[in-house]
Amino acid sequence: MSQDTRFAIVVPCFNEADLIESTSKRLLEVLKDLEQKRLINDSSYIYFVDDGSDDETWYEIAKAVAKHPNNIKGCRFTTNCGNQKALLAGMLQARKVGCDALITIDADLQQDENKIEEFIKKYDEGYKIVFGIRNDRKTDDFIKKTTALAFYKLMEKLGVKIPKNHSDFRLVSKEVLDVLESYKETDLFLRGFFYKIGFRRTNIYFDVKPRKIGKSKFNLVSLTSLAVNGITSFSIVPLKLICVLGFICMVLGFIFGLWALISKFILHTSTDGWAEATILTCFFGGIQIFCIGIVGEYLGQIYREVKHRPRYLIEQELD
Ligand code: UDP
Ligand code: MG
């Protein structure tokens, strides 16, 4: 029955000291409201992960935990490991503390916390994963909007199925968390993972709100690295494309070589060929370096994985 559901809200935080108090207050209201509606039980809680902030975030989290020890918990990384690792840690920590289902949401509550009720209702209907899908990208700047769209298109072309405009605002059940726990990859691309593992799933659409305090912690470099990790951990199509490209280049090279031989020995029209040689060298040189780069990305992925290093280091836990 739904009122037996122990629910957790997982919040990754990096330098969000100014937001912790208002975010905890709002999320506690959400929990209370859901409890009164008998959708969740009173042992439900918020789980903050301080992703190695260098401001007062941990102090603020500890203050909130002290004030509401039953309904707020948290842990702190020794250093900044990135939003994906903070989400992962938050989910696994909540699994350890115990919960029937959890939702992940950003500390700035840009994702609409009023929708959490709809997510839980879907869980009650028997869905094990509920994806939050953004209605639009109005709050994103031009670069973020274009790169995000290009990324989803590319992923689709590369055969990685992820819902378009799917964010990390997502509800997952205990069963899904057990599967998550069994995936030991160091660099797990969560958006791809939750789609790949199956389970009964559905979508909820929401509007993204503008950030009230502070600014986005993502820049073009961190977004690109997330995208490259998403591709290299879920698709080997780029490696296969290199093979195809190599084959096409080989055939073209063969035809060109034949043409060079004919024009030199049969037609006697061969010129000094400087321009052709330069163009071909630059063109094929470029392709080769680019392809080595792609292979390098995969090599890097393997390199990171084989070491089996811990994905994050937790310095302190409050639960
Ligand atoms: N975040 C994190 N580690 C990081 C960067 C961000 O835990 O290295 C958290 C951040 O505190 C926020 C969430 O991830 O709760 C989303 O970050 P942000 O709001 O900056 O991203 P945007 O909304 O611009 O995508
Ligand atoms: Mg945000």
Side-chain angles (χ1 to χ4, degrees):
M1 248 171 43
S2 53
Q3 72 235 48
D4 292 332
T5 304
R6 189 181 193 194
F7 186 61
I9 305 182
V10 169
V11 190
C13 310
F14 178 58
N15 291 346
E16 305 284 14
D18 298 339
L19 277 171
I20 302 295
E21 198 178 337
S22 58
T23 297
S24 343
K25 188 164 164 262
R26 179 67 198 115
L27 292 179
L28 282 173
E29 282 167 11
V30 171
L31 287 181
K32 201 83 243 117
D33 178 51
L34 296 172
E35 193 191 316
Q36 274 159 6
K37 289 180 177 156
R38 300 186 154 270
L39 289 167
I40 60 174
N41 69 24
D42 63 357
S43 65
S44 301
Y45 58 93
I46 306 168
Y47 199 100
F48 285 109
V49 179
D50 175 5
D51 183 9
S53 303
D54 34 47
D55 67 355
E56 299 292 299
T57 299
W58 184 240
Y59 171 74
E60 290 294 329
I61 294 174
K63 216 165 78 181
V65 175
K67 214 164 151 190
H68 304 275
N70 294 329
N71 302 102
I72 302 185
K73 301 169 194 307
C75 71
R76 170 172 169 74
F77 284 179
T78 56
T79 181
N80 180 243
C81 301
N83 143 290
Q84 294 284 297
K85 300 273 168 57
L87 283 166
L88 181 68
M91 289 187 280
L92 294 177
Q93 288 290 108
R95 176 179 178 271
K96 205 171 84 181
V97 173
C99 68
D100 298 298
L102 63 77
I103 194 164
T104 45
I105 191 168
D106 290 349
D108 52 16
L109 298 184
Q110 280 194 272
Q111 298 132 331
D112 192 354
E113 75 281 3
N114 298 308
K115 290 267 174 180
I116 294 181
E117 184 175 338
E118 286 182 38
F119 280 77
I120 295 191
K121 286 184 172 155
K122 290 286 174 201
Y123 167 74
D124 276 342
E125 285 170 29
Y127 291 99
K128 301 294 177 201
I129 306 180
V130 187
F131 293 113
I133 311 275
R134 318 163 55 127
N135 279 326
D136 54 50
R137 293 192 163 267
K138 269 192 282 204
T139 54
D140 284 351
D141 59 25
F142 176 76
I143 295 183
K144 204 164 170 191
K145 202 182 299 183
T146 358
T147 47
L149 288 176
F151 171 68
Y152 282 107
K153 267 226 164 74
L154 182 65
M155 287 298 259
E156 202 180 308
K157 292 262 179 309
L158 297 178
V160 187
K161 292 201 180 73
I162 46 172
K164 214 166 157 190
N165 290 332
H166 151 210
S167 66
D168 286 312
F169 187 30
R170 189 187 311 107
L171 178 144
V172 297
S173 73
K174 193 169 64 188
E175 296 84 344
V176 173
L177 290 176
D178 291 343
V179 175
L180 178 67
E181 156 66 32
S182 69
Y183 271 63
K184 302 291 185 198
E185 289 173 45
T186 307
D187 260 312
L188 188 59
F189 181 62
L190 296 172
R191 293 178 200 188
F193 166 80
F194 285 114
Y195 200 78
K196 198 180 163 71
I197 57 166
F199 284 102
R200 207 168 156 224
R201 80 275 297 284
T202 186
N203 298 338
I204 293 273
Y205 294 84
F206 70 95
D207 286 321
V208 181
K209 296 181 275 183
R211 194 181 235 274
K212 281 198 210 96
I213 303 176
K215 51 183 186 8
S216 172
K217 310 290 181 302
F218 282 97
N219 54 36
L220 201 56
V221 177
S222 51
L223 285 172
T224 311
S225 123
L226 180 65
V228 172
N229 178 35
I231 295 169
T232 52
S233 56
F234 275 89
S235 171
I236 56 158
V237 174
L239 290 177
K240 292 185 176 159
L241 283 181
I242 291 178
C243 250
V244 176
L245 192 67
F247 182 75
I248 296 172
C249 289
M250 193 180 74
V251 173
L252 288 178
F254 181 74
I255 296 172
F256 187 78
L258 215 59
W259 172 71
L261 283 176
I262 294 171
S263 67
K264 185 163 174 79
F265 294 111
I266 301 176
L267 304 174
H268 300 290
T269 54
S270 166
T271 55
D272 69 355
W274 179 84
E276 289 93 326
T278 311
I279 292 166
L280 285 174
T281 313
C282 294
F283 179 66
F284 287 110
I287 288 184
Q288 279 171 23
I289 293 172
F290 178 66
C291 291
I292 293 173
I294 294 179
V295 176
E297 285 296 334
Y298 282 92
L299 193 68
Q301 178 84 275
I302 297 167
Y303 174 71
R304 283 194 299 273
E305 294 299 336
V306 292
K307 284 184 292 189
H308 296 299
R309 287 190 180 169
R311 301 189 269 205
Y312 44 78
L313 298 171
I314 294 180
E315 184 180 338
Q316 217 176 327
E317 286 176 50
L318 295 174
D319 51 42

